[in-house]
Amino acid sequence: SKVVQKLVNHLPVLNTLLDRLIESSAIEKSYLLDVFTKLYIATDSNPVDSHTYELCSDLVDVVIDVSCIYGLSTDDDFVIPYDRASSSAIRLNNGMVLYLRQVSKYLALVCVIREEYFTKRSLVDFNIDCFRRSLGLVTGRIQDPNNDVNTSILEG
């Protein structure tokens, strides 16, 4: 992930956006993950815990695997297991929730949230939608007015 981050032109801005997201939503940790490699492109300024990162990466695998079995959609005549509606919430036995939302065709935002703060899910969703729009503005590749960002973060 560190090597990939060195290639990302907008990394400081992405990190700042993630910091604002966790502040406004009472999120413990957030990762912007590439859905194919499971590498994190950006994260907030809280320390990275490898165990938590592995759980977040595994959540991406679970969402894609379940989608392949039960929820394939077609986009431009291609069958894809991951789309704008992809999301997942998993409650852990330590009082935390892993929450995944799609933010672009190739990126997922995975957050670790305390269960008591996840009861305000609509606020978290609103803030993630704001993050998604900001991501599109930063990368300059907003695809449509519904904020479906079509971006490859590694492109300049």
Side-chain angles (χ1 to χ4, degrees), residues 116-134:
E116 60 265 20
Y117 296 125
F118 194 66
T119 58
K120 299 177 184 177
R121 183 174 175 171
S122 59
L123 173 65
V124 173
D125 284 336
F126 175 80
N127 289 332
I128 290 173
D129 289 340
C130 290
F131 173 82
R132 179 188 283 152
R133 283 190 300 277
S134 298

Side-chain angles (χ1 to χ4, degrees), residues 6-46:
K6 298 238 186 261
L7 300 173
V8 177
N9 294 335
H10 307 292
L11 184 62
V13 175
L14 294 175
N15 290 342
T16 301
L17 286 173
L18 289 170
D19 283 338
R20 299 298 170 257
L21 175 66
I22 67 168
E23 290 170 10
S24 62
S25 303
I27 293 171
E28 296 288 316
K29 186 69 183 163
S30 63
Y31 295 96
L32 188 61
L33 294 168
D34 178 278
V35 295
F36 297 106
T37 65
K38 315 309 177 290
L39 296 174
Y40 70 88
I41 304 302
T43 186
D44 57 72
S45 59
N46 290 337

Side-chain angles (χ1 to χ4, degrees), residues 62-74:
V62 167
V63 169
I64 289 175
D65 290 348
V66 170
S67 294
C68 283
I69 297 169
Y70 298 107
L72 289 176
S73 66
T74 57

Side-chain angles (χ1 to χ4, degrees), residues 41-79:
I41 304 302
T43 186
D44 57 72
S45 59
N46 290 337
V48 174
D49 172 44
S50 62
H51 178 66
T52 302
Y53 166 65
E54 288 174 15
L55 284 173
C56 293
S57 178
D58 289 344
L59 179 57
V60 173
D61 281 333
V62 167
V63 169
I64 289 175
D65 290 348
V66 170
S67 294
C68 283
I69 297 169
Y70 298 107
L72 289 176
S73 66
T74 57
D75 184 25
D76 300 327
D77 296 326
F78 294 103
V79 177

